[in-house]
Structures are given as structure tokens and as C-alpha cells.
Amino acid sequence: MKSWFIRSALAVLVAPALAAAQQGADNPRPITIDQAVQLAVQNSPITVAARNSERSGEAAVRFAKAQFLPSLALNYAASNQGGTQFIQGVPVPLSGLPWSYSRSISSNLTIFDGGSHWYNYKAAGATLDAAEANDISQRYAVTLSVKTQYFAVLAAREQEAAARRQLEEAQQSLQVAAAKMIAGAATRADSLTAALAVGTAQLAIITAQNALLNANASLTRLVASPVMVTAVAADTTDIGHMDVDEGALTKMALEGPAVRAAAASFAASTAAHKAATTPYMPSINLSGSYGQNPKGTQGYEFGGGPTTTSTSLRFTASYTIFNNYSREQSLILARIAEDNAQASLRDAKFAAQQNLTQFLVNYQTAQQTIALQLLQIQSATENLRVQQQRYNIGTALQVDVTTAQAALDQARFNLISARLSARTAKANIEALIGHDIK
């Protein structure tokens, strides 16, 4: 009976589920974090839309500049007239040459419009500034997503390594418990407890491998790679340090992409508000034209025959006295948009300060947690060694060894979680200020 139990317990060391998980894993292509960020920024729909908004803003600025230039138009016409007409009640063919021609060039220039063109130009420039700031903000938002998944890959690898270490230690405890049970120095409960620890370690490996597969899949989607990608196998203990004081970070946060975009939007709404006041001013236009009317011909000739000319130069001034409250409606909407933009700018500044405080606290807490967990691992390792020695000489139970092992495993996973938190907090700060912190 004992030999059957021992063989069954040792069979747990090679779990079929673990083999299936390993067979289902692909061989992803390793890429560095800089390569992942570059690919994601290039391919992400968010950054593509932000770049297109910037292109649209550039086109709007060119259009606003062009409004200061005179318009120019060329006109050409050729017409053929035929048929009959009544003369003294008798239909007779139309007299004269059937083909007639005209050609002209005309131009129009707005001399004064109350500053509408100028304010529209300023609004377009501010909108472009907002689009550029939004482009930076979206690039760092995508960068944050990439880094989060990249760090998740590193954390999953660390978890798998810790779980394999856990499995090795559990296997050693199972071998000792099985040997002591054969010798009659331990109970069946000790072997069952050790076998359960082995199964728990195997499950931890499967969980870590599944987390790694999910993180790889998420990273692959972000970088838009046709093949599965993963993080480069490197020293994952480096979480990065920030040698920047809180005052400098606060200043950079208040000048970050989100605040710059809100400030540019406020400037654009202010210019739009001023542009909405210009319909209360008169407008003055200058227009001129030069035309030719060639002599008609019997058949079609592109240029016609001898020509007469005509010229015109016109100044026009107009002032709208009443337009059914259209000006007032536009002005009210512009004022509302300016007030909303001002409130958004104020909130963006407070949000930047709030987020920076939160991210700094998270980073500092993670750093302290890392230091504490490193000490906890040392303590748990020593405690496990003591409990194993006590169990070997018969002064402790297997459950004491298992409890010490569980404490060590938990300390390892807490350390991995703290490293992930520190990396994520640092990436959040970089996204907030719009700069990489080396």
C-alpha cells in the first residue's frame, strides 16, 4: 500500500497539464522595448488619427493664410445661336453670325472685414498647436500601453522562474517525506502535504505561462506585428530610477502634453470668440475685371476675330444692420466655448498635479516594498532552511515546512508585483510629462 502511494505521489511531479501548456506555447520573436514603442506609435489607430488631425490643422492654417490673398478667376465662353424668328408674322432665319465669344479675368480682395481673417488665422494656428500637443499626448499614451504590456511579459517570466524554484523545493520536500514514510518516521499526511505543494507549484507554473502568453498576445496587437512578439530576455531586476526632484517634475507636468493641448484649445476658442465679434464691423471689398468680346464668326474659332475690351474697378462697402440675431447667436456660442475651454485648462492643470502626486506615491511605495520584500525573502529563506532541518531530525511537521515554503513563495511574488508597480508608475509619470526619464 505504501509503495503504491509513493508511486502515485511521485507521478504528480510530471503533470500532463504542464506539458500541454508548454506544447501550446509559440516561439515569439523578441523585440526591445524601444522597438515595441516605435512600432506601436507607427501603427496604432490612436496615433494615426492624431497625426491626421495635425495634417488637417496644417491645411487649415494654409487656408487661413490664403484668405489674405486676392482671388483670381479666368473665364472663357463660346456660344452658338441658331433658329428662326418672326418678322411681320413670317418666320425667317436668325440674322448675324452664329458663333460669339467672351473671355475675361477677374479678381476680388477683401480690404477690411473687422479682423475676421486675422482671428480665424490665429484660431487655426492655435488649433494646430493643440493637434501637435495631442499628437505627443497620444504617442505617450500608446507608449504607456506598450510599456505596461512589456512589463507584464517581464513579470510573467519572473513569476514562472519563481514558480519553477517553488517546484524544485516542493519536489525535494516530497522526496524527503516519501523516504521518511517508507522508513516509518513520517505519516501519510506528511507525504500528502508535500504532494499537494508540488501540485500547487505546477499550477503556479501553468498560471505564469498563461499570463506570459496573454501578455505576448497583447503586446503583439499593440505593435501590429504579423508574428507573435515578446520582450527581450534581459535582466528584469532593473526597474529604472528617477533622479529628478518633485519640484522639477511638477513643472514638467504643468507643461505636459495634456496641459499644452488644453492651453492651445483655450487660445483657439479665444480667437474664435474675437472672430465672432467681427460681423458687427463693416466690410470693404475691392474687385476688378478685364474682358474681351471677340467678333462673332460663321464657324467655330477658338479665339474669334477682332475683339473689343472692357474693364471695371469697384469698391464696395457693406454693413449688416440686422440678420435675425445670427450674429448674436454665434457670439454667445463662441463665449460659451471659450468659458468651457478655460475651465478645461484649469482642470487639466489640477489633474496633472493630482496624477503626478498619485504616480509618485505609487513609485515610492513600490520602491519601499521592493526593499522590504528583498529582506522578507532572506528571512523566509532562512526560516525554510530551519524548518527543513527540524523536520529532518523529527522536531517539526511537514506542515511547518509547507508553511515556511508558502511564506517564501508569497514574498517572491510580492517582490515581482512591486517591481511591476514601480515600472508602471515610472511609465505613467513619463506619459504625464511627455518626456522619457533616464
Side-chain angles (χ1 to χ4, degrees):
M1 181 67 180
K2 289 183 178 180
S3 61
W4 175 85
F5 172 75
I6 295 172
R7 288 196 300 269
S8 299
L10 290 176
V12 181
L13 299 180
V14 184
L18 179 58
Q22 292 175 342
Q23 291 175 358
D26 296 325
N27 294 318
R29 177 173 62 90
I31 59 174
T32 65
I33 191 170
D34 292 336
Q35 291 173 334
V37 169
Q38 182 179 3
L39 289 172
V41 169
Q42 178 182 350
N43 299 318
S44 172
I46 297 176
T47 52
V48 170
R51 288 194 296 269
N52 286 333
S53 295
E54 193 171 349
R55 291 172 56 194
S56 177
E58 292 172 351
V61 169
R62 287 194 297 268
F63 174 78
K65 287 181 178 179
Q67 303 311 300
F68 293 99
L69 302 176
S71 62
L72 185 64
L74 295 174
N75 300 285
Y76 169 81
S79 60
N80 181 277
Q81 185 177 9
T84 60
Q85 60 181 344
F86 284 101
I87 298 180
Q88 296 180 354
V90 179
V92 297
L94 290 174
S95 61
L97 298 173
W99 283 96
S100 61
Y101 309 90
S102 67
R103 50 180 178 259
S104 65
I105 181 173
S106 61
S107 181
N108 184 74
L109 175 64
T110 300
I111 298 177
F112 179 74
D113 60 356
S116 176
H117 287 347
W118 171 253
Y119 292 130
N120 288 335
Y121 168 70
K122 297 295 290 183
T127 302
L128 176 59
D129 292 339
E132 292 174 347
N134 181 67
D135 181 28
I136 298 175
S137 177
Q138 295 303 328
R139 282 195 284 113
Y140 272 92
V142 170
T143 299
L144 175 61
S145 298
V146 172
K147 288 183 177 180
T148 299
Q149 291 304 322
Y150 200 92
F151 297 152
V153 173
L154 299 180
R157 284 181 180 167
E158 292 177 347
Q159 289 172 354
E160 182 179 359
R164 291 190 181 280
R165 181 69 180 273
Q166 176 184 350
L167 178 60
E168 293 175 1
E169 294 168 346
Q171 288 173 339
Q172 294 174 1
S173 296
L174 177 59
Q175 291 173 356
V176 172
K180 293 188 68 173
M181 188 182 73
I182 294 175
T187 65
R188 183 180 178 184
D190 289 345
S191 297
L192 285 173
T193 302
L196 180 61
V198 172
T200 302
Q202 291 173 335
L203 181 60
I205 293 177
I206 295 174
T207 302
Q209 289 177 338
N210 289 337
L212 179 59
L213 289 174
N214 291 331
N216 286 341
S218 299
L219 183 62
T220 302
R221 178 192 174 187
L222 288 173
V223 303
S225 173
V227 297
M228 188 75 75
V229 298
T230 188
V232 173
D235 184 7
T236 60
T237 59
D238 183 18
I239 62 173
H241 298 280
M242 295 189 299
D243 297 328
V244 185
D245 61 88
E246 185 173 352
L249 286 176
T250 301
K251 181 179 179 181
M252 287 187 285
L254 292 177
E255 297 174 353
V259 177
R260 290 205 305 270
S265 297
F266 175 59
S269 63
T270 300
H273 178 201
K274 293 179 180 179
T277 64
T278 58
Y280 290 94
M281 304 292 291
S283 62
I284 302 175
N285 294 313
L286 170 66
S287 61
S289 65
Y290 170 79
Q292 293 182 344
N293 297 287
K295 183 180 179 181
T297 59
Q298 186 66 38
Y300 175 75
E301 297 180 8
F302 179 79
T307 181
T308 61
T309 62
S310 63
T311 60
S312 69
L313 182 65
R314 179 186 303 174
F315 283 95
T316 59
S318 63
Y319 180 75
T320 302
I321 298 177
F322 180 70
N323 63 346
N324 305 99
Y325 289 102
S326 176
R327 293 178 299 189
E328 288 74 14
Q329 175 70 8
S330 299
L331 184 59
I332 290 174
L333 294 178
R335 287 174 177 170
I336 292 174
E338 184 180 17
D339 290 342
N340 292 339
Q342 186 177 20
S344 297
L345 174 59
R346 181 172 58 250
D347 182 69
K349 293 180 178 179
F350 284 118
Q353 294 175 330
Q354 174 193 352
N355 292 333
L356 178 62
T357 301
Q358 176 184 346
F359 298 151
L360 279 175
V361 168
N362 292 343
Y363 180 79
Q364 293 167 357
T365 302
Q367 291 279 31
Q368 293 295 327
T369 304
I370 289 172
L372 178 62
Q373 291 305 316
L374 288 173
L375 182 61
Q376 181 66 30
I377 288 175
Q378 294 179 0
S379 174
T381 301
E382 178 62 19
N383 183 48
L384 177 60
R385 185 187 65 81
V386 172
Q387 295 300 330
Q388 287 174 338
Q389 289 181 349
R390 291 182 61 198
Y391 178 73
N392 292 337
I393 62 177
T395 59
L397 301 176
Q398 177 61 38
V399 67
D400 297 325
V401 178
T402 304
T403 301
Q405 177 65 54
L408 176 58
D409 297 336
Q410 187 61 47
R412 288 170 177 164
F413 282 101
N414 289 342
L415 175 61
I416 295 170
S417 178
R419 287 173 177 169
L420 179 61
S421 298
R423 296 187 185 108
T424 303
K426 181 173 178 287
N428 274 290
I429 294 174
E430 291 174 339
L432 179 64
I433 65 177
H435 296 286
D436 290 334
I437 302 176
K438 302 297 184 181

Short mmCIF file of all heavy atoms in Angstrom, two decimals, residues 7 20 99 102 109 123 127-128 140 145-147 169 192 208 223 230 236-237 247 258 261 267 301 322-323 354 412 434:
data_model
loop_
_atom_site.label_atom_id
_atom_site.label_comp_id
_atom_site.label_asym_id
_atom_site.label_seq_id
_atom_site.Cartn_x
_atom_site.Cartn_y
_atom_site.Cartn_z
N ARG A 7 4.43 5.77 -5.38
CA ARG A 7 4.49 5.89 -6.85
C ARG A 7 3.47 6.90 -7.35
O ARG A 7 3.74 7.68 -8.27
CB ARG A 7 4.24 4.51 -7.48
CG ARG A 7 5.40 3.54 -7.32
CD ARG A 7 5.25 2.37 -8.28
NE ARG A 7 4.01 1.65 -8.04
CZ ARG A 7 3.90 0.60 -7.21
NH1 ARG A 7 4.96 0.19 -6.52
NH2 ARG A 7 2.75 -0.03 -7.05
N ALA A 20 1.03 20.10 -21.60
CA ALA A 20 0.14 20.67 -22.62
C ALA A 20 0.35 22.16 -22.76
O ALA A 20 0.35 22.71 -23.87
CB ALA A 20 -1.31 20.37 -22.25
N TRP A 99 -21.72 82.15 -84.14
CA TRP A 99 -20.77 81.93 -83.05
C TRP A 99 -20.35 83.26 -82.42
O TRP A 99 -19.98 84.20 -83.12
CB TRP A 99 -19.52 81.21 -83.54
CG TRP A 99 -19.74 79.72 -83.77
CD1 TRP A 99 -20.04 79.11 -84.93
CD2 TRP A 99 -19.70 78.73 -82.75
NE1 TRP A 99 -20.19 77.76 -84.74
CE2 TRP A 99 -19.98 77.49 -83.38
CE3 TRP A 99 -19.46 78.72 -81.38
CZ2 TRP A 99 -20.03 76.29 -82.71
CZ3 TRP A 99 -19.49 77.51 -80.71
CH2 TRP A 99 -19.78 76.32 -81.36
N SER A 102 -16.53 85.26 -75.56
CA SER A 102 -16.17 86.21 -74.49
C SER A 102 -15.09 85.57 -73.63
O SER A 102 -15.07 84.35 -73.43
CB SER A 102 -17.38 86.58 -73.63
OG SER A 102 -17.83 85.46 -72.89
N LEU A 109 -10.62 91.25 -53.67
CA LEU A 109 -9.78 91.35 -52.47
C LEU A 109 -10.59 92.00 -51.36
O LEU A 109 -11.20 93.06 -51.56
CB LEU A 109 -8.52 92.18 -52.75
CG LEU A 109 -7.62 92.46 -51.54
CD1 LEU A 109 -7.03 91.17 -51.00
CD2 LEU A 109 -6.52 93.45 -51.90
N ALA A 123 -6.92 81.44 -34.73
CA ALA A 123 -7.63 80.25 -34.24
C ALA A 123 -7.10 78.99 -34.91
O ALA A 123 -6.93 77.95 -34.25
CB ALA A 123 -9.12 80.40 -34.48
N THR A 127 -5.35 75.90 -33.03
CA THR A 127 -5.87 74.54 -33.22
C THR A 127 -4.77 73.59 -33.66
O THR A 127 -4.71 72.43 -33.23
CB THR A 127 -7.01 74.55 -34.25
OG1 THR A 127 -8.05 75.44 -33.82
CG2 THR A 127 -7.59 73.16 -34.43
N LEU A 128 -3.87 74.08 -34.51
CA LEU A 128 -2.73 73.26 -34.91
C LEU A 128 -1.83 72.96 -33.72
O LEU A 128 -1.34 71.83 -33.57
CB LEU A 128 -1.94 73.97 -36.01
CG LEU A 128 -0.65 73.27 -36.48
CD1 LEU A 128 -0.95 71.88 -37.01
CD2 LEU A 128 0.05 74.12 -37.53
N TYR A 140 2.51 59.20 -26.19
CA TYR A 140 2.90 58.72 -24.87
C TYR A 140 1.82 57.84 -24.25
O TYR A 140 2.13 56.97 -23.42
CB TYR A 140 3.24 59.89 -23.95
CG TYR A 140 4.69 60.29 -24.07
CD1 TYR A 140 5.08 61.28 -24.96
CD2 TYR A 140 5.67 59.66 -23.34
CE1 TYR A 140 6.41 61.64 -25.11
CE2 TYR A 140 7.01 60.00 -23.47
CZ TYR A 140 7.37 61.00 -24.35
OH TYR A 140 8.70 61.33 -24.49
N SER A 145 0.83 52.16 -22.86
CA SER A 145 0.18 50.85 -23.06
C SER A 145 1.21 49.79 -23.44
O SER A 145 1.16 48.65 -22.94
CB SER A 145 -0.89 50.96 -24.15
OG SER A 145 -1.91 51.86 -23.78
N VAL A 146 2.15 50.17 -24.31
CA VAL A 146 3.18 49.21 -24.73
C VAL A 146 4.06 48.83 -23.54
O VAL A 146 4.35 47.64 -23.31
CB VAL A 146 4.03 49.81 -25.87
CG1 VAL A 146 5.23 48.91 -26.17
CG2 VAL A 146 3.19 49.97 -27.12
N LYS A 147 4.49 49.83 -22.79
CA LYS A 147 5.35 49.54 -21.64
C LYS A 147 4.62 48.68 -20.61
O LYS A 147 5.22 47.79 -20.00
CB LYS A 147 5.84 50.84 -21.01
CG LYS A 147 6.88 51.58 -21.85
CD LYS A 147 7.37 52.82 -21.13
CE LYS A 147 8.47 53.51 -21.94
NZ LYS A 147 8.98 54.73 -21.25
N GLU A 169 11.85 23.13 -4.87
CA GLU A 169 11.86 22.99 -3.42
C GLU A 169 10.77 22.03 -2.95
O GLU A 169 10.97 21.25 -2.00
CB GLU A 169 11.72 24.36 -2.77
CG GLU A 169 12.91 25.27 -3.05
CD GLU A 169 12.64 26.72 -2.68
OE1 GLU A 169 11.46 27.05 -2.45
OE2 GLU A 169 13.60 27.52 -2.63
N LEU A 192 1.20 13.48 1.79
CA LEU A 192 0.10 14.15 1.08
C LEU A 192 0.31 15.66 1.04
O LEU A 192 0.07 16.32 0.03
CB LEU A 192 -1.23 13.81 1.77
CG LEU A 192 -1.78 12.40 1.54
CD1 LEU A 192 -2.99 12.16 2.42
CD2 LEU A 192 -2.11 12.19 0.06
N ALA A 208 1.61 31.17 -14.67
CA ALA A 208 2.60 32.13 -15.16
C ALA A 208 2.77 32.01 -16.68
O ALA A 208 2.90 33.02 -17.38
CB ALA A 208 3.94 31.90 -14.46
N VAL A 223 1.77 46.40 -31.19
CA VAL A 223 2.80 46.74 -32.18
C VAL A 223 2.37 46.38 -33.59
O VAL A 223 3.09 46.68 -34.55
CB VAL A 223 4.14 46.05 -31.85
CG1 VAL A 223 4.60 46.41 -30.45
CG2 VAL A 223 4.04 44.54 -31.99
N THR A 230 7.61 39.13 -28.20
CA THR A 230 7.76 39.08 -26.76
C THR A 230 8.89 40.01 -26.35
O THR A 230 9.62 40.54 -27.20
CB THR A 230 8.04 37.65 -26.29
OG1 THR A 230 7.99 37.60 -24.86
CG2 THR A 230 9.40 37.17 -26.76
N THR A 236 15.74 41.46 -15.59
CA THR A 236 14.48 42.12 -15.27
C THR A 236 14.49 42.78 -13.90
O THR A 236 13.47 43.29 -13.46
CB THR A 236 13.33 41.10 -15.33
OG1 THR A 236 13.59 40.06 -14.37
CG2 THR A 236 13.22 40.50 -16.71
N THR A 237 15.61 42.74 -13.21
CA THR A 237 15.65 43.37 -11.89
C THR A 237 15.77 44.89 -11.99
O THR A 237 15.50 45.59 -11.02
CB THR A 237 16.83 42.83 -11.08
OG1 THR A 237 18.05 43.11 -11.78
CG2 THR A 237 16.70 41.33 -10.88
N GLY A 247 9.87 68.97 -7.45
CA GLY A 247 9.58 70.30 -7.98
C GLY A 247 9.76 70.37 -9.49
O GLY A 247 8.93 70.94 -10.20
N ALA A 258 -0.96 67.12 -22.08
CA ALA A 258 -2.37 67.36 -21.81
C ALA A 258 -2.64 68.82 -21.49
O ALA A 258 -3.62 69.41 -21.98
CB ALA A 258 -2.83 66.47 -20.64
N ALA A 261 -2.17 70.92 -24.70
CA ALA A 261 -3.32 70.78 -25.60
C ALA A 261 -4.50 71.61 -25.10
O ALA A 261 -5.20 72.27 -25.89
CB ALA A 261 -3.71 69.31 -25.72
N ALA A 267 -6.70 78.99 -26.36
CA ALA A 267 -6.28 80.07 -27.26
C ALA A 267 -7.10 80.07 -28.54
O ALA A 267 -7.48 81.13 -29.05
CB ALA A 267 -4.79 79.92 -27.57
N GLU A 301 -14.28 79.24 -84.06
CA GLU A 301 -12.87 79.58 -83.97
C GLU A 301 -12.57 79.88 -82.50
O GLU A 301 -13.26 80.69 -81.89
CB GLU A 301 -12.52 80.78 -84.83
CG GLU A 301 -12.74 80.56 -86.32
CD GLU A 301 -12.38 81.79 -87.15
OE1 GLU A 301 -11.82 82.74 -86.55
OE2 GLU A 301 -12.66 81.79 -88.35
N PHE A 322 -29.24 94.14 -39.40
CA PHE A 322 -29.99 93.12 -38.69
C PHE A 322 -29.98 91.84 -39.53
O PHE A 322 -30.28 91.87 -40.72
CB PHE A 322 -31.43 93.58 -38.45
CG PHE A 322 -32.27 92.57 -37.72
CD1 PHE A 322 -32.06 92.30 -36.38
CD2 PHE A 322 -33.29 91.89 -38.38
CE1 PHE A 322 -32.83 91.37 -35.72
CE2 PHE A 322 -34.06 90.96 -37.71
CZ PHE A 322 -33.84 90.71 -36.37
N ASN A 323 -29.62 90.75 -38.92
CA ASN A 323 -29.61 89.46 -39.64
C ASN A 323 -30.27 88.38 -38.81
O ASN A 323 -29.80 87.25 -38.70
CB ASN A 323 -28.19 89.06 -40.02
CG ASN A 323 -27.31 88.82 -38.81
OD1 ASN A 323 -27.67 89.20 -37.69
ND2 ASN A 323 -26.17 88.18 -39.02
N GLN A 354 -2.54 66.32 -9.58
CA GLN A 354 -3.09 65.17 -8.86
C GLN A 354 -2.46 63.87 -9.34
O GLN A 354 -2.05 63.02 -8.53
CB GLN A 354 -4.60 65.12 -9.06
CG GLN A 354 -5.25 63.87 -8.46
CD GLN A 354 -6.67 63.68 -8.92
OE1 GLN A 354 -7.24 64.55 -9.57
NE2 GLN A 354 -7.26 62.54 -8.59
N ARG A 412 8.33 36.11 -2.78
CA ARG A 412 8.84 36.22 -4.15
C ARG A 412 7.83 36.87 -5.07
O ARG A 412 8.15 37.76 -5.86
CB ARG A 412 9.22 34.84 -4.67
CG ARG A 412 10.48 34.25 -4.04
CD ARG A 412 10.66 32.80 -4.43
NE ARG A 412 11.90 32.24 -3.90
CZ ARG A 412 12.15 30.93 -3.83
NH1 ARG A 412 11.22 30.06 -4.26
NH2 ARG A 412 13.29 30.50 -3.35
N GLY A 434 5.44 63.90 -20.73
CA GLY A 434 5.80 63.90 -22.14
C GLY A 434 7.29 63.80 -22.39
O GLY A 434 7.78 64.25 -23.43
#
